[in-house]
Amino acid sequence: MSSKQQSHQRVFVVTGANKGIGYEVVKKLSTNHPNDLILLGSRDQKRGEEALVQLGSPSNVKVLVLDTSSKKSIEQAKEELQNKYGGHLDVLINNAGIVKNDSSLKALKDTFDTNFYGVKYMNDTMSPMLRDSGRIVNVSSGIAAMTMKECSQDLKTKFLDPNLTDSQLEQLFAGLFKAVEEGKDPATVGFNPVKRSAFDDYFLLYYGTSKLGVNTLTRIEARDWEKKYSAKNVIISAVCPGFCATDINGNAQGGRSAELGADSILHAVYTENLENGQFWRDGSQLPLGSK
Ligand code: NDP
């Protein structure tokens, strides 16, 4: 492929795409963009290759080994993009996510490493490669706003501060980590679980707080883009895919298809003149957080 051809080819990266909603996103992108390149992110090479075979091994999809909880893995993925795929990027979909079903400090750390820091490091690392009119979609959850609603008034005010920086945002979570480390109730530092009888309160608190981080980060990243990067007209969105029956929730009864979740994400990729830094589900705007 000549460099001229390559520069016209759009490059899409989807993290956590070996199954679930991310897989469906890649499937749709692969059909919609026969002449572009879609990189199917998978933390495990074999699971990535199996997903590629399941897709029918289309020529426009390649596996990108990428564990978003590892800075080293993110750096390696960046090098692969630079060395093999032209060093530019048009659409980044931060979809990888986990739920840990316990309330230990390790569960809290693991949840944040993938769901929050994974998104932050991916964007910090990949954004310099993004081209004009690029899009970043940070996959979040409706539980983010529900989680903020349960936070203390002091924390709510801090999360919603329009001047909040990304390092100040990280500091807001330090109290939660310290409380869990010391065996204290997170409520003592202003973090209260969303009440839902079917779930263990604390793992939902960790998950919800990590996604609250994603929503707040999205707003900050959109606000600060022009100060940091040269690409013009870049839109950064958070998206809830809706409640879908996938492995993350044990294929819960009543969940909709992962394909519909993928459509919700792709809305933020395809809609023109989308308001920057906002949170969407199925094309409708949701509050980034709720008082
Ligand atoms: P799945 O469990 O089906 O898929 C999650 C994907 O993320 C898998 O490919 C998994 O890989 C990957 N993954 C997990 N951790 C990492 C990591 N550290 N690095 C790279 N990949 C990783 O869940 P869904 O498809 O449902 O979830 C997709 C996103 O949607 C998540 O961010 C989730 O929080 C969000 N979401 C989902 C909802 C739902 O109802 N399903 C509702 C709201 C939000 P592996 O196979 O290796 O585990």
Side-chain angles (χ1 to χ4, degrees):
M1 181 183 292
S2 76
S3 58
K4 188 155 184 245
Q5 274 175 315
Q6 202 168 39
S7 71
H8 287 291
Q9 187 187 50
R10 299 180 81 204
V11 178
F12 296 74
V13 170
V14 186
T15 68
N18 55 289
K19 67 179 182 182
I21 297 165
Y23 173 86
E24 295 297 333
V25 169
V26 167
K27 192 173 176 182
K28 284 171 188 281
L29 290 174
S30 163
T31 308
N32 295 350
H33 301 271
N35 299 318
D36 290 328
L37 175 67
I38 294 97
L39 296 174
L40 182 160
S42 174
R43 59 179 159 177
D44 180 88
Q45 170 107 38
K46 187 162 172 281
R47 287 199 287 275
E49 299 294 349
E50 284 167 359
L52 188 62
V53 170
Q54 205 182 326
L55 284 171
S57 304
S59 59
N60 60 341
V61 181
K62 307 280 177 224
V63 173
L64 180 69
V65 175
L66 176 51
D67 177 346
T68 63
S69 69
S70 156
K71 277 187 176 176
K72 190 174 164 212
S73 176
I74 291 174
E75 284 297 332
Q76 282 168 346
K78 176 188 167 187
E79 280 167 28
E80 195 167 341
L81 273 160
Q82 287 172 331
N83 298 335
K84 280 173 73 177
Y85 301 121
H88 63 257
L89 186 57
D90 296 282
V91 175
L92 170 59
I93 300 178
N94 290 303
N95 165 77
I98 56 164
V99 170
K100 287 279 175 178
N101 198 355
D102 75 79
S103 55
S104 65
L105 178 63
K106 184 175 182 319
L108 176 62
K109 280 186 172 156
D110 288 348
T111 303
F112 264 74
D113 280 349
T114 292
N115 295 6
F116 175 71
Y117 289 108
V119 174
K120 184 173 183 331
Y121 294 145
M122 275 297 290
N123 291 344
D124 288 349
T125 307
M126 303 296 177
S127 289
M129 285 191 284
L130 216 74
R131 296 196 292 191
D132 287 356
S133 304
R135 299 257 165 141
I136 296 178
V137 181
N138 298 328
V139 178
S140 186
S141 165
I143 198 160
M146 291 153 78
T147 303
M148 189 195 289
K149 202 159 188 255
E150 302 299 328
C151 284
S152 67
Q153 195 52 52
D154 178 52
L155 273 176
K156 277 183 208 169
T157 304
K158 287 176 176 157
F159 276 116
L160 293 171
D161 178 354
N163 298 315
L164 187 74
T165 64
D166 50 3
S167 51
Q168 285 169 340
L169 172 62
E170 289 179 45
Q171 277 308 307
L172 293 185
F173 300 123
L176 175 63
F177 277 77
K178 189 161 180 284
V180 174
E181 189 168 13
E182 292 173 354
K184 290 186 186 148
D185 186 341
T188 59
V189 289
F191 288 95
N192 298 291
V194 175
K195 301 284 177 290
R196 271 204 186 175
S197 56
F199 296 94
D200 174 301
D201 282 350
Y202 281 99
F203 86 77
L204 209 59
L205 173 66
Y206 300 168
Y207 178 73
T209 310
S210 71
K211 296 295 192 183
L212 170 56
V214 170
N215 280 6
T216 312
L217 183 69
T218 301
R219 171 169 65 76
I220 294 169
E221 288 177 336
R223 182 195 66 198
D224 293 349
W225 179 270
E226 283 180 13
K227 280 184 249 160
K228 291 173 138 178
Y229 307 109
S230 54
K232 306 279 179 240
N233 303 320
V234 170
I235 305 284
I236 307 174
S237 308
V239 169
C240 173
F243 181 52
C244 304
T246 63
D247 284 354
I248 207 169
N249 49 31
N251 292 285
Q253 268 200 328
R256 61 185 190 166
S257 69
E259 203 190 334
L260 281 177
D263 287 338
S264 185
I265 290 170
L266 288 173
H267 172 271
V269 172
Y270 291 132
T271 303
E272 288 184 22
N273 303 319
L274 198 67
E275 190 181 343
N276 205 1
Q278 298 302 312
F279 182 35
W280 308 92
R281 183 198 291 132
D282 297 332
S284 296
Q285 198 170 336
L286 301 175
L288 282 157
S290 163
K291 284 191 180 184

